[in-house]
């Protein structure tokens, strides 16, 4: 399915979105399309292909770099070797607020030379950041205690998969569009997921036991653009798209927070769904094992400390002023 402006344009930009046009994806893409059209005075139009119809989830980076699409959504965990530095934003730092995480990740990805170089080397330009929102579990049976992870067949993605393994889970890697079928066929018992994905992908149908972890979010998750496409644009359009990428952070954060609340409420209204809380001992174990990931991280620890400092700085701003759209 496509999301596209209805007016003629000098150039059409193709966006590869591997997710379905549900949850926050459709309004985000509509907003991007409207902003690009307006800011370019009709010279650029954004056309979005949803559900991996243009490029599958694991191949968006390669596809955008090769020009199959001009822009796309990537998850760095699907191409870990290419984004060793950027993936530092996936490491748990104890703050799962979307605005705090998005601001910190954007600052790092645009201001840290090593990360800027990672994107450049792959032939793409980092535009803006997305957030998975807070991690939760969707399981076929309740999982609330440390011992419940022992032998649990679950889908998880790096780096959090290492923590689940340390608790005794048997972890498999699957792109998120394939998770529903794996749960439905009982190939896995549980999946690392998020409130937005639970609703968008209807994970709650085969896995109605949902557990809130209050632990972390995935932030190595971004909107990218082909460097070749970007460099072929007029300078005014380049500047406009860069500004749009920064402004998208607050828009995405507000959308994520609102959609997360809506998704949680909607899921709880399903007769089969039960929402659980992870026990305090299990939370403490998650945090302790999560801290060990930092020492095992193959990149520069200085980079992680820089990210953590940015998280703490934006948390202070949030605590003092609230969200920008509330001022």
């Amino acid at each position: 399915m496509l999301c596209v402006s209805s007016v003629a344009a000098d150039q059409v930009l193709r966006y590869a979105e591997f997710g379905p046009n549900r949850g926050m994806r459709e309004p985000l893409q509509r907003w991007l399309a409207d902003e690009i059209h307006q800011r370019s005075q009709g010279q650029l139009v954004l056309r979005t292909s949803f559900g991996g119809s243009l490029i599958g989830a694991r191949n968006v980076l390669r596809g955008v770099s090769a020009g199959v699409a001009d822009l796309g959504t990537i998850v760095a965990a699907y191409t870990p070797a290419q984004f060793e530095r950027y993936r530092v934003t996936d490491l748990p730092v104890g703050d799962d607020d979307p605005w705090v995480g998005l601001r910190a990740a954007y600052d790092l990805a645009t201001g840290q030379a090593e990360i800027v170089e990672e994107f450049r080397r792959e032939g793409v330009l980092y535009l803006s950041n997305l957030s998975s929102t807070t991690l939760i579990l969707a399981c076929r049976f309740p999982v609330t205690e440390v011992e419940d992870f022992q032998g649990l067949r679950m889908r998880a993605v790096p780096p959090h998969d290492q923590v689940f393994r340390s608790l005794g889970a048997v972890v498999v890697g699957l792109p998120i569009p394939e998770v529903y079928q794996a749960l439905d066929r009982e190939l896995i018992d549980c999946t690392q997921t998020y409130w937005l994905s639970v609703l968008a992908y209807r994970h709650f149908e085969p896995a109605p036991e949902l557990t809130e972890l209050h632990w972390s979010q995935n932030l190595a998750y971004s909107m990218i653009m082909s460097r070749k496409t970007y460099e072929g644009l007029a300078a005014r359009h380049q500047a406009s798209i860069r500004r749009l990428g920064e402004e998208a952070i607050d828009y995405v954060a507000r959308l994520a927070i609102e959609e997360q609340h809506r998704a949680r409420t909607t899921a709880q209204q399903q007769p089969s769904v039960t929402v659980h809380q992870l026990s305090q001992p299990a939370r403490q174990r998650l945090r302790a094992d999560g801290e060990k990931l930092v020492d095992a991280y193959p990149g520069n620890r200085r980079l992680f400390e820089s990210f953590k400092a940015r998280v703490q700085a934006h948390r202070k701003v949030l605590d003092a002023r609230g969200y920008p759209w509330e001022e």
Side-chain angles (χ1 to χ4, degrees):
M1 186 174 291
L2 300 178
C3 175
V4 60
S5 172
S6 60
V7 300
D10 293 337
Q11 184 172 353
V12 173
L13 302 175
R14 299 159 297 170
Y15 194 111
E17 171 54 71
F18 63 81
N21 63 328
R22 295 192 294 273
M24 64 179 285
R25 290 178 174 86
E26 194 278 333
L28 172 58
Q29 290 298 320
R30 185 173 2 108
W31 179 77
L32 289 172
D34 289 346
E35 291 295 320
I36 286 174
H37 167 250
Q38 181 179 355
R39 296 177 189 214
S40 69
Q41 298 180 324
Q43 293 182 345
L44 300 176
V45 160
L46 185 70
R47 176 180 295 148
T48 301
S49 298
F50 290 97
S53 59
L54 182 59
I55 309 173
R58 292 187 180 276
N59 295 313
V60 175
L61 176 63
R62 183 186 305 172
V64 171
S65 177
V68 178
D70 301 294
L71 303 98
T73 300
I74 64 163
V75 175
Y78 293 160
T79 52
Q82 285 75 20
F83 291 111
E84 284 190 352
R85 307 302 187 201
Y86 179 50
R87 287 172 58 227
V88 74
T89 59
D90 273 346
L91 292 172
V93 293
D95 200 314
D96 62 353
D97 181 84
W99 184 81
V100 170
L102 286 165
R103 274 285 152 203
Y106 181 86
D107 288 352
L108 200 73
T110 57
Q112 203 76 35
E114 305 99 304
I115 297 179
V116 173
E117 173 60 20
E118 279 188 328
F119 284 90
R120 188 204 63 77
R121 188 175 61 238
E122 296 304 317
V124 299
L125 179 74
Y126 169 96
L127 288 183
S128 196
N129 225 87
L130 299 167
S131 167
S132 66
T133 67
T134 188
L135 268 66
I136 66 171
L137 302 180
C139 305
R140 295 191 298 108
F141 43 79
V143 175
T144 60
E145 304 292 342
V146 172
E147 52 267 27
D148 293 337
F149 288 91
Q150 189 65 43
L152 187 72
R153 297 173 301 164
M154 70 176 297
R155 175 261 183 187
V157 298
H160 303 91
D161 60 339
Q162 298 177 50
V163 175
F164 296 126
R165 284 192 178 94
S166 76
L167 300 179
V170 179
V171 175
V172 298
L174 287 172
I176 202 163
E178 298 176 16
V179 170
Y180 184 102
Q181 185 178 31
L183 287 166
D184 191 49
R185 296 174 61 187
E186 299 186 7
L187 300 176
I188 58 174
D189 303 314
C190 196
T191 182
Q192 167 191 329
T193 187
Y194 323 91
W195 281 115
L196 302 187
S197 297
V198 161
L199 196 63
Y201 291 97
R202 303 190 71 81
H203 290 155
F204 62 84
E205 292 178 344
E209 305 292 339
L210 310 180
T211 302
E212 295 186 311
L213 303 180
H214 303 288
W215 178 40
S216 184
Q217 60 185 311
N218 284 102
L219 289 162
Y221 176 26
S222 63
M223 292 184 277
I224 61 169
M225 186 173 193
S226 160
R227 277 201 166 270
K228 183 176 181 181
T229 299
Y230 175 79
E231 291 168 359
L233 296 176
R236 66 183 183 280
H237 295 329
Q238 291 179 348
S240 178
I241 284 176
R242 288 276 202 177
R243 285 194 300 272
L244 181 60
E246 182 174 10
E247 292 170 20
I249 292 296
D250 287 349
Y251 184 85
V252 170
R254 182 174 184 176
L255 198 57
I257 291 166
E258 291 172 351
E259 286 295 311
Q260 180 172 269
H261 175 74
R262 185 180 71 85
R264 189 182 191 279
T265 301
T266 301
Q268 286 184 295
Q269 291 171 347
Q270 307 304 311
S272 63
V273 167
T274 303
V275 177
H276 305 276
Q277 302 298 315
L278 199 65
S279 71
Q280 193 60 35
R283 288 189 198 180
Q284 291 172 350
R285 178 69 184 274
L286 276 182
R287 290 176 183 143
D289 286 9
E291 283 295 320
K292 297 175 184 176
L293 292 178
V294 179
D295 294 327
Y297 176 62
N300 191 326
R301 186 177 179 87
R302 176 183 57 83
L303 197 59
F304 173 76
E305 294 300 336
S306 179
F307 173 58
K308 189 173 181 179
R310 285 172 164 91
V311 168
Q312 293 170 344
H314 288 295
R315 167 52 67 179
K316 287 180 180 178
V317 171
L318 177 60
D319 291 344
R321 303 180 187 172
Y323 296 115
W325 53 89
E326 296 174 340
E327 293 179 351

